[in-house]
Amino acid sequence: MATDTYTRIEDSAAGQKLAGPVGWLDDRLGLAAAGKKNLRKVFPEHWSFMLGEIALWSFVVLLLTGVFLTLWFVPSMAEVTYRGSYAPLYGIDMSEAYATTLNISFEVRGGLLIRQIHHWAAAMFIAAMFAHMLRVYFTGAYRKPREINWLIGVGLLGLGTIAGFSGYSLPDDLLSGTGLRFVNGLVRSIPLVGSYIEFFVFGGEFPGTMIIPRLYMAHILLIPAILLGLIGAHMLLLVYHKHTQWPGPGRTNDNVVGYPMLPVYMAKAGGFFFVVFGFLALMGALIQINPVWVYGPYNPAEVTAGSQPDWYMGWVEGAVRVMPALESTFFNRTWTWSVFMPGVLLMGVLFTALGLWPFIERWITGDDREHHLLERPRNAPVRTALGAAAISVYLVFLIGGGNDIIAIKFGMSLNAITWFVRIGIIVVPIIVFMVTKRICIALQRKDNADLTHGYETGVIDRSPSGGYAERHAPLPDGDQFALTSARERLPQLESEKPAATDEGGVRNPKFRKQSLRHKAREFYFDGSVDKPTSHEMDHAAEHLEGAGEHPVTQGEDFKGISHWGVPGDHEDH
Amino acid sequence: MTDELDLKAHDPIGDPGLPEHQWRPQDVDPKQEKRTERHIAGMLGAAALLFVGFCVAYFAIPIDAVVFKTGATVGWSAQNFAFGMTLGGGLLLIGIAIIQWAKKLMGDHEIVELRHAAGSEKDDIDAVLDDINAGIEESGIARRPLIRNSLLGAMAALGLPAIVLLRDMGPLPHGHTNTVWKKGMRVVNDVSGKPIKPSDLEVGQLVNAQPAVFFETDEHGQHLYHGAELHAAKAKAAAIVVRMRPEDITPSAGRANWGVDGILCYSKICTHVGCPISLWEQQTHHLLCPCHQSTFDLADNGKVIFGPAGRALPQLPISVDSEGYLVAVSDFPEIVTPSYPELARDQKKLDKKFGGNN
Amino acid sequence: MRKLSTRRRHPIAGLLVIAFALVLAGALYSVVAPEPATAESASASEIEAGRELFLVGCASCHGLNAQGIETKAEHDGKPGNYGPSLIGVGAAAVGFQMETGRMPMAKTAPQVPVKSPNYSQEEIDQIAAYIASLAPGPSRPSDEYLDWESVDKEGVSAGGEFFRTNCTACHNSTGQGGALPDGRYAPSLVGVEPIHIYEAMLTGPQQMPVFSEEVLTPEEKLQVIAYIKQVQNQPTHGGVGGGGLGPVVDGMFVWIIGIGGLIGFAVWIGMHGTRVKKQ
């Protein structure tokens, strides 16, 4: 490799030519001072750290393709007669918004491709944010000092959903109009002020002429601008906090180990942009998405079977579908619970709960330390189980949202699916919670067993008496460290039980609050298994060295197998 | 809680430190290095070729050309396919090439960077507090409550124009008590605008209907309603006409003469969130909304029998005019459109108008 | 064998096991899944006259004189149908039901499914003639109203307007079909003969409403057929069509292919490649 000698950039021919302009810029911007700290900034490496990057690059693709689409799209409800090349709609009256969307799809070369890439990128943007959020949740990466970045993330997810929905509504085809009709119904179901919000947001009743232009403004200006700002803040905080990392030998809570920004991460992240863009372009080339032409123009007297929102609204759609009829009248007003509760309230509750979770968890654990090492999901059983239960709620609602498609594709009864969801939404998360928590605890036990009894080598010994036993060998030091260093010691819950009165018989004024928190702590830590103490580890080491019942001398040539079963002919780290 | 020092003491395993660095084949074998270099350059070259291919396709492929059309398949747009494959393929190759470069040829030594607490140092906090105090002191904001309070007042008042300016975003909500239906208006077939005679309809028939006014023209031959105005009116007036066997129908009190020989007319707008519904099962007489599966029984006054809708489907009383065509007897006596907060109030007004017997 | 057992804890091993289990389950399902039954056969293969065919093949449900058979009170106090009366349903109904194989019915179900017809064209024509002779009813459409290729551009788009107003709510924008309550469904219109689309509109089979000739004229019915055929023969311009099922399928693609594929790339980026001992 290093046979040829490297000329420093400032001494190279190109460097000498550039020295002038770069110096000019530095005199004015102080580039070197800014670059000094950040150019070789370290990022740890793991595939799951790139989920957020998928979202980021999808967003860039959205901006690029979106600009292209605005060159032709006209967000107008003015009535025109279609004379374009899509024959089955020839001569039909439609809005200019729909006609220009057809025009982009059939008359502008490459327009269909860019439209499809844009739509795939939107679906991908939100899906990737989702996956990223799950990664952050299940590894506890939102803990101090990253709570604010979690909140920004929740904001991004909410705004991304609104951005997606506003884009879905723009073409004014039958599907998007049906979606708007639905949202109109949601808005006006808000108790007391629903009609006011509806008339102000929609500029009157739906269908009207103002909503598409307004959504267009929100879609191409307002929301992307806020998204851009929030993404910037998200990234700045990421740089300031430095990325979290998985525990491992040499990787502690006080350092970050990985490759430098320049050149390795610049290349990997930059290359990943091209991968994401290329992948989305291939999806645009091969898979049709939202063929607006088959739906026809919006008409309030028409609808198509299988009317669905895009996937990220599917769970709300499902909740609205399975909600039993509930409408009441008091104070001379109508209260449309069956629309308001699943359609508006549920979303509010979900996003509030998401935003509050890091603070709730901190209140329970009372943990005020900074955490830069990721926690394995098994080591926070209740957190993991709550997350799994939340996912199951989401999926059950999603089944409700696709109940008509499921019914027709699998020959099932629509009503039966609806009833399954109505019952399942209560039963399934409880089961999932219990099962997940048990699995986590079992895995914690398994980790402890590996630590104190070593791993199974796959070598069977036959004892003189004819019994068989598998040899165990201690885990490599690095693995032992990885398994224990990020694992929190459990609190001594028994000793901290609050008392209603102190020794002197004086009433404890904070008793109720303290015992509530104590109950929450009992719930949170229930069943968790603590990591072995150093004493236990010393004892285990003695045992594994042969002081115990069966000998574990392995012989010169035996390399054992690693704890995950790969033969030990090469060393894993 | 046990304190942090105590926790550290309990940590069973000490940090063994970073494992020894291991080399890649490219680091030790110049041949392998050259090979990898060639692979990467090859991918980038192929990407460039694909982008040239994109341009060729742009000018060479007609917009209506179709690929993969066989007897069984309808085919895809040739342009979309060619553009996407060349563009996507090229981008993907660039990405893979750059990443491969980073993985195989760029520096491979992991770097350790130390972290610092996210919070500020004590000295920094003190310095900032000094500055803030100096600012407060020099501005005198603490000593001059008059300026401070009037400033706060002015800022708060600035909020008023900001809110008031949004007033014209929409009109104030009005009730939804009426649609374009009127006494004597003919019920016509949607799309064709043809009026309907009872004898045209068989048992089990469904007609997606509209009020005749949507098909009327003024003296210049212009439709009275068009564009957005037509949509807004349709969103409330759209109706369905169905014919059942008269003995199957169980009209509630006062509705006995709302139909003609088993022909009934209902609103097409779901009372849930307003999807137009016309999934009528002629044997069960059930009407299903395709959006959220509210199901209404048209033989039983449009009652909700399944799903989230809270109100029965409004029924339009109909009869026949002197020429024997179906006409409306009045507007809908119930509110069409999805529920809104003032619905109860508006329905009471309607009830008064229709004599309070609904 | 030792090799296999020592690799059982490799991270990919779990995935492989799951993939294998899925394939196995799929294969088992395809073997075990109930095939749609193909009905009794040959019960009427040698009988010439429609009435005789009817007596043998149809009368058990529809009555000896096609007057229908009513069961005892089923629900709501109304009598249920064992087999409905066929008096006045006309030749069009017979043609539709028998040529699409819906009749004779193989087993009771929420809805009678399409299957390959059990009767020859000649036999169906004989039965149709017999039913038509009982009482006046809709006759089979003439060829001029089935020649959808003769419909001009404007006619096709007008057919689209009728289709979207009257049909898409159940059958979906491209005629892929849709779900109805309690396991019933609006069947797919893909590949259905023009004459059967016409007869379905005319006679309202099963739960489908009737669209009589007076309300939807033969010309308009032809326009609807032309639109269905044209829209289904349009290329799926953007690529794989997803079965015309809309955003549900798109969401599936974005998670399975999109996120799945890109995570694959991410794993590749984060993976430590081959390592060697430095010489």
Side-chain angles (χ1 to χ4, degrees), chain B residues 247-297:
Chain B
E247 62 269 26
D248 289 345
I249 302 172
T250 51
S252 58
R255 290 190 173 189
N257 57 355
W258 281 18
V260 179
D261 298 336
I263 300 172
L264 300 181
C265 180
Y266 285 94
S267 164
K268 195 180 181 179
I269 306 302
C270 185
T271 57
H272 180 228
V273 289
C275 285
I277 15 178
S278 54
L279 280 78
W280 191 54
E281 297 192 309
Q282 60 136 317
Q283 291 172 359
T284 60
H285 312 134
H286 293 169
L287 187 71
L288 173 82
C289 177
C291 293
H292 304 97
Q293 287 93 39
S294 295
T295 313
F296 303 87
D297 189 348

Side-chain angles (χ1 to χ4, degrees), chain B residues 23 103 108 200 208 281-282, chain C residues 166 184 204 212 268 275-276:
Chain B
W23 300 92
K103 277 170 67 87
D108 185 39
D200 296 344
N208 290 283
E281 297 192 309
Q282 60 136 317
Chain C
N166 295 299
R184 295 183 291 269
S212 65
W268 170 65
R275 298 284 146 161
V276 293

Side-chain angles (χ1 to χ4, degrees), chain B residues 3-311:
Chain B
D3 63 44
E4 200 170 324
L5 280 174
D6 199 19
L7 285 176
K8 286 249 175 202
H10 275 83
D11 264 349
I13 305 296
D15 180 6
L18 278 177
E20 195 194 340
H21 183 74
Q22 288 175 318
W23 300 92
R24 299 167 296 194
Q26 286 84 358
D27 296 327
V28 295
D29 180 2
K31 263 191 214 150
Q32 182 72 32
E33 188 194 347
K34 278 280 160 225
R35 205 176 303 140
T36 307
E37 205 179 323
R38 278 198 302 274
H39 285 167
I40 293 170
M43 282 191 271
L44 293 171
L49 284 180
L50 280 170
F51 295 146
V52 173
F54 180 97
C55 301
V56 173
Y58 190 91
F59 294 105
I61 300 177
I63 196 149
D64 51 359
V66 169
V67 285
F68 306 129
K69 188 173 166 68
T70 63
T73 59
V74 284
W76 304 351
S77 156
Q79 274 195 351
N80 189 66
F81 178 71
F83 295 172
M85 292 306 283
T86 50
L87 184 67
L91 287 166
L92 208 57
L93 281 174
I94 291 183
I96 293 173
I98 295 177
I99 294 168
Q100 191 72 346
W101 180 16
K103 277 170 67 87
K104 302 288 181 197
L105 298 178
M106 284 185 187
D108 185 39
H109 283 271
E110 287 191 309
I111 294 180
V112 181
E113 197 175 300
L114 289 183
R115 291 183 191 273
H116 309 283
S120 308
E121 302 282 332
K122 179 84 175 71
D123 292 351
D124 291 345
I125 297 176
D126 290 344
V128 168
L129 280 176
D130 287 347
D131 289 353
I132 291 174
N133 281 314
I136 292 175
E137 174 60 26
E138 284 168 27
S139 70
I141 194 162
R143 278 178 287 120
R144 300 186 211 283
L146 187 62
I147 292 184
R148 185 188 66 207
N149 294 345
S150 51
L151 176 66
L152 288 177
M155 287 299 177
L158 178 59
L160 294 176
I163 294 166
V164 168
L165 263 177
L166 296 177
R167 166 61 191 86
D168 278 347
M169 273 184 73
L172 285 181
H174 52 73
H176 301 272
T177 46
N178 57 318
T179 72
V180 298
W181 286 104
K182 278 194 183 76
K183 182 174 163 56
M185 187 179 288
R186 276 185 184 162
V187 181
V188 302
N189 192 16
D190 200 352
V191 185
S192 67
K194 227 179 320 173
I196 304 159
K197 279 186 175 161
S199 57
D200 296 344
L201 304 183
E202 292 167 26
V203 169
Q205 180 122 16
L206 165 79
V207 180
N208 290 283
Q210 296 289 356
V213 67
F214 291 162
F215 296 89
E216 285 167 16
T217 50
D218 61 14
E219 60 271 28
H220 308 296
Q222 295 286 317
H223 280 288
L224 295 181
Y225 285 86
H226 50 82
E229 208 185 344
L230 175 65
H231 276 185
K234 254 190 190 177
K236 288 183 183 175
I240 47 169
V241 176
V242 293
R243 184 164 201 168
M244 292 169 269
R245 285 181 299 183
E247 62 269 26
D248 289 345
I249 302 172
T250 51
S252 58
R255 290 190 173 189
N257 57 355
W258 281 18
V260 179
D261 298 336
I263 300 172
L264 300 181
C265 180
Y266 285 94
S267 164
K268 195 180 181 179
I269 306 302
C270 185
T271 57
H272 180 228
V273 289
C275 285
I277 15 178
S278 54
L279 280 78
W280 191 54
E281 297 192 309
Q282 60 136 317
Q283 291 172 359
T284 60
H285 312 134
H286 293 169
L287 187 71
L288 173 82
C289 177
C291 293
H292 304 97
Q293 287 93 39
S294 295
T295 313
F296 303 87
D297 189 348
L298 296 196
D300 187 8
N301 309 289
K303 199 177 77 180
V304 183
I305 54 168
F306 189 78
R311 286 175 295 131

